[in-house]
Each structure stands twice: as C-alpha cells, then as structure tokens.
Amino acid sequence: MHAAPDSSVAQSAFELRFPSLSGTGRALSFPCDASGTVHMDGLSARALNNYLLARALTGREYGWPSVQASCQVQS
C-alpha cells in the first residue's frame, strides 16, 4: 500500500485488490507493481478517490489488500 511517482500504471501486470467485507462483491482494485506500490498520479480522479477511500476503510468496509496478477491483457 505505497505510492510511488516513478511506477508505470500503463504497463502494470499486477493489481492491488481490496476485498469487500460486506459480502456484496464490491471489491476495489488498482494497478500496481509486484510489491503493491500504486502510482497515484496515474489514476483518474475517481480511481484516486476510490483508492484513498479503500485505504481509509480497510478493516471496516474493505479487507486487507493483496497483490494479484492483473486480469487485463496488455498489448
């Protein structure tokens, strides 16, 4: 759960995933590197707000994040 200015969001092969604790399936995920570093400057305003919200509500509305291989296909 870090923010680094020099990571490349566009080439991210990983995502930091915050599972929902409410059971509604509303997990949030964000592009990151293999160590879980999210490039916050590369996120849209909405994604940045969601990322900060998930971090603030970890343990209450969202579970602890985990780094997973991204499901998106990069070309």
Side-chain angles (χ1 to χ4, degrees), residues 1-2 16 30 38 40 47-55:
M1 240 177 8
H2 307 284
L16 187 66
F30 307 93
V38 174
M40 294 188 336
L48 178 60
N49 286 335
N50 285 338
Y51 176 64
L52 295 174
L53 178 74
R55 284 179 41 176

Side-chain angles (χ1 to χ4, degrees), residues 19-27 61:
S20 172
L21 293 179
S22 66
T24 61
R26 299 195 64 181
E61 302 230 356

Side-chain angles (χ1 to χ4, degrees), residues 15-71:
E15 62 185 25
L16 187 66
R17 184 174 176 81
F18 292 83
S20 172
L21 293 179
S22 66
T24 61
R26 299 195 64 181
L28 295 174
S29 62
F30 307 93
C32 68
D33 64 16
S35 65
T37 303
V38 174
H39 178 57
M40 294 188 336
D41 291 339
L43 297 176
S44 68
R46 182 176 182 178
L48 178 60
N49 286 335
N50 285 338
Y51 176 64
L52 295 174
L53 178 74
R55 284 179 41 176
L57 296 178
T58 296
R60 290 179 276 174
E61 302 230 356
Y62 295 96
W64 294 103
S66 62
V67 177
Q68 300 179 353
S70 178
C71 296

